Amino acid sequence: MPNTTSLTSGNASDDLSGRAPRKNESLPGFHDESAEDSEGTSHSTGILPLQELQHLVKVTREIIAVEEIQDDQFQPASLDLRLGPVAYRVRASFLPGKETNVEQRLKDLAMHKMDISNGGVLERGCVYIIPLLERLSLKKRMSAIGNPKSSTGRLDIFTRLITDYGTEFDRVREQYKGPLYAEVSPRTFSVLVRKGSRLSQIRIRRGNPPNTDEALRRLQQEVELVESISGDQIRKGVPVSVDVRGDKSGLIGYKAKSHAGLIDIDKVRHYDALDYWEPIYAPPRGGLVLDPADFYILASREPVKVPPTHAAEMIAYDTLVGEFRVHYAGFFDPGFGHPDADGEGSRAVLEVRSYEVPFVIEHGQVVGRLTYERLTATPNRLYGSNANSSYQRQGIALSKHFKPSHPSEFGRRL
């Protein structure tokens, strides 16, 4: 079952298009480390941007797949991963460990094998292992990080990346060569998936780029990563707080309904939100009480910004701020909330679960911290560059599977 101390996060992108590469962008693998962090600068270490991910697929073959990788799988600083044609229902979550691979562990733990080529239902409360269509053949200094896509997290689908001989979820060791697997456990809704469905994504990192609080403080001063945050508040990331007051409508979020219907993971703007969610309004006084049995969608109080030179990830669970988990979902891509990508005012959507006991969160309470990591170069497309970026300029947003709704519609239906 879920490891409450694991770190996952972010806001996944969907498909993007946009500006052409800059004149002074280097070819993948050729970087000048001496230059300052600016949009035209390249580095020998960091997260690889879209154009270098394409290089890994088309030239160096460090990312390969059973079926051709599609153009719309490439995001500004990540690659969407696709489910393969079979899923294994297992008795329990597991890590293979240093001495064995995933296939060997499945012989002990698999309960049955399911063909999902043309569709299969993943039941809530169950754990599945699904081989992915993509695999890696990483070279020296290359490692990777996995995470759920934001639409996956907003459906409360607990999804983690596993590798052969792996000792950590969502972490791919340097020079890994082998298959990739998704551990999938729907927590609230049963979901229909099929071969090619995209629940998770991967970032590729070259080397070990420096990442210090002092560098974050400088970045906060330059571009205001999170509004109204001072430098002395930055410790192991930039703090993000929760909004439980809302706007004029009073709406502050949503709570998932128990025993709602099936959701097809590949359908967009298809479902009526009120069939699956209850709106939550600002409490008349005090904070919001989180029930450990429920799943909530809330929003950050502050707008969040990711400059084109960086990618961000939110620390998902921190016992220092309370016994609850914030943010299953993927990555905050370069350009999220940034004026260069028409994203000013975008807030972080928080997928929240309390653990063990009810917990009260107050307006403005810190609920997580964003960590930022530089890219090796500015991506040639930013998050929000076209209409396929589902969550740019977002406030409180459900996943893209639901029809857009105005707060007044909830009042008419309730």
Side-chain angles (χ1 to χ4, degrees):
M1 297 311 294
N3 176 355
T4 59
T5 60
S6 66
L7 304 182
T8 62
S9 39
N11 255 50
S13 54
D14 290 89
D15 183 31
L16 302 164
S17 64
R19 57 184 178 79
R22 300 174 183 275
K23 291 181 181 179
N24 56 350
E25 279 183 345
S26 301
L27 291 173
F30 296 88
H31 304 286
D32 177 11
E33 194 73 25
S34 63
E36 304 226 349
D37 277 330
S38 65
E39 291 192 21
T41 300
S42 58
H43 301 279
S44 64
T45 61
I47 299 295
L48 301 192
L50 177 150
Q51 63 269 23
E52 293 200 30
L53 292 173
Q54 292 172 328
H55 187 82
L56 263 58
V57 171
K58 298 175 183 178
V59 180
T60 66
R61 303 285 292 167
E62 291 174 71
I63 304 174
I64 52 182
V66 176
E67 298 182 5
E68 183 179 0
I69 293 174
Q70 305 298 307
D71 288 343
D72 66 356
Q73 288 180 248
F74 292 97
Q75 308 305 336
S78 63
L79 179 76
D80 290 348
L81 300 175
R82 299 167 295 175
L83 301 183
V86 298
Y88 297 87
R89 166 80 187 279
V90 293
R91 291 187 283 122
S93 171
F94 67 88
L95 281 168
K98 293 181 179 180
E99 304 301 323
T100 188
N101 60 31
V102 174
E103 185 176 345
Q104 290 169 322
R105 295 293 286 145
L106 285 173
K107 292 178 181 179
D108 297 328
L109 294 170
M111 298 171 66
H112 67 264
K113 179 180 178 180
M114 178 169 60
D115 184 353
I116 60 170
S117 298
N118 298 310
V121 175
L122 307 185
E123 300 283 353
R124 59 176 289 198
C126 299
V127 182
Y128 301 85
I129 302 296
I130 306 177
L132 300 175
L133 294 180
E134 290 74 26
R135 59 188 291 130
L136 298 177
S137 182
L138 298 178
K139 295 183 178 181
K140 187 177 180 181
R141 301 177 70 221
M142 305 290 273
S143 60
I145 316 111
N147 239 318
K149 289 175 63 65
S150 58
S151 296
T152 306
R154 294 184 200 193
L155 292 179
D156 199 18
I157 305 171
F158 197 76
T159 304
R160 300 188 287 195
L161 188 68
I162 304 177
T163 62
D164 284 345
Y165 308 100
T167 58
E168 294 180 282
F169 292 108
D170 289 327
R171 296 296 182 265
V172 182
R173 65 187 176 275
E174 182 179 338
Q175 293 184 279
Y176 176 75
K177 293 174 174 58
L180 300 173
Y181 301 83
E183 178 197 270
V184 183
S185 181
R187 309 301 309 282
T188 295
F189 309 113
S190 294
V191 294
L192 178 64
V193 300
R194 56 189 59 78
K195 185 182 77 170
S197 294
R198 304 174 189 181
L199 299 182
S200 57
Q201 56 194 335
I202 197 167
R203 279 180 176 168
I204 306 296
R205 177 190 286 125
R206 180 186 292 119
N208 293 294
N211 189 15
T212 65
D213 284 343
E214 186 55 40
L216 270 182
R217 293 185 186 107
R218 289 196 300 269
L219 198 59
Q220 170 69 12
Q221 186 174 14
E222 292 169 6
V223 300
E224 195 175 33
L225 303 170
V226 178
E227 273 192 14
S228 305
I229 297 298
S230 63
D232 59 2
Q233 293 175 279
I234 295 176
R235 297 185 304 277
K236 297 182 180 180
V238 184
V240 175
S241 68
V242 67
D243 176 18
V244 296
R245 290 183 182 167
D247 56 17
K248 292 180 180 179
S249 72
L251 183 72
I252 63 169
Y254 304 92
K255 181 174 73 172
K257 290 184 175 181
S258 300
H259 311 294
L262 182 72
I263 294 177
D264 186 330
I265 205 72
D266 295 322
K267 289 186 175 179
V268 177
R269 296 181 179 178
H270 179 79
Y271 298 99
D272 189 326
L274 279 174
D275 291 337
Y276 296 83
W277 302 92
E278 298 174 10
I280 305 172
Y281 293 93
R285 60 182 180 277
L288 175 68
V289 178
L290 303 177
D291 189 313
D294 292 325
F295 175 68
Y296 301 84
I297 298 290
L298 303 173
S300 67
R301 182 181 65 169
E302 313 89 352
V304 169
K305 190 182 301 176
V306 183
T309 54
H310 286 70
E313 183 177 359
M314 187 179 287
I315 297 174
Y317 181 80
D318 185 350
T319 55
L320 295 178
V321 300
E323 286 298 318
F324 57 90
R325 181 190 181 97
V326 173
H327 234 282
Y328 285 109
F331 302 117
F332 287 79
D333 267 327
F336 178 85
H338 197 272
D340 285 1
D342 192 30
E344 284 187 292
S346 300
R347 292 191 288 163
V349 167
L350 310 172
E351 301 105 10
V352 181
R353 265 193 181 276
S354 181
Y355 285 108
E356 304 298 338
V357 296
F359 187 85
V360 180
I361 52 173
E362 306 286 349
H363 182 73
Q365 179 175 343
V366 173
V367 293
R369 291 182 181 271
L370 278 170
T371 60
Y372 287 75
E373 190 168 343
R374 76 180 184 201
L375 305 178
T376 57
T378 303
N380 57 19
R381 290 183 291 185
L382 295 178
Y383 186 78
S385 298
N386 71 5
N388 289 326
S389 300
S390 299
Y391 306 118
Q392 189 71 299
R393 297 181 68 89
Q394 70 182 357
I396 305 165
L398 296 172
S399 72
K400 62 185 179 182
H401 307 92
F402 300 97
K403 299 173 186 176
S405 299
H406 188 272
S408 61
E409 296 180 37
F410 293 109
R412 290 198 296 270
R413 287 278 303 272
L414 289 176

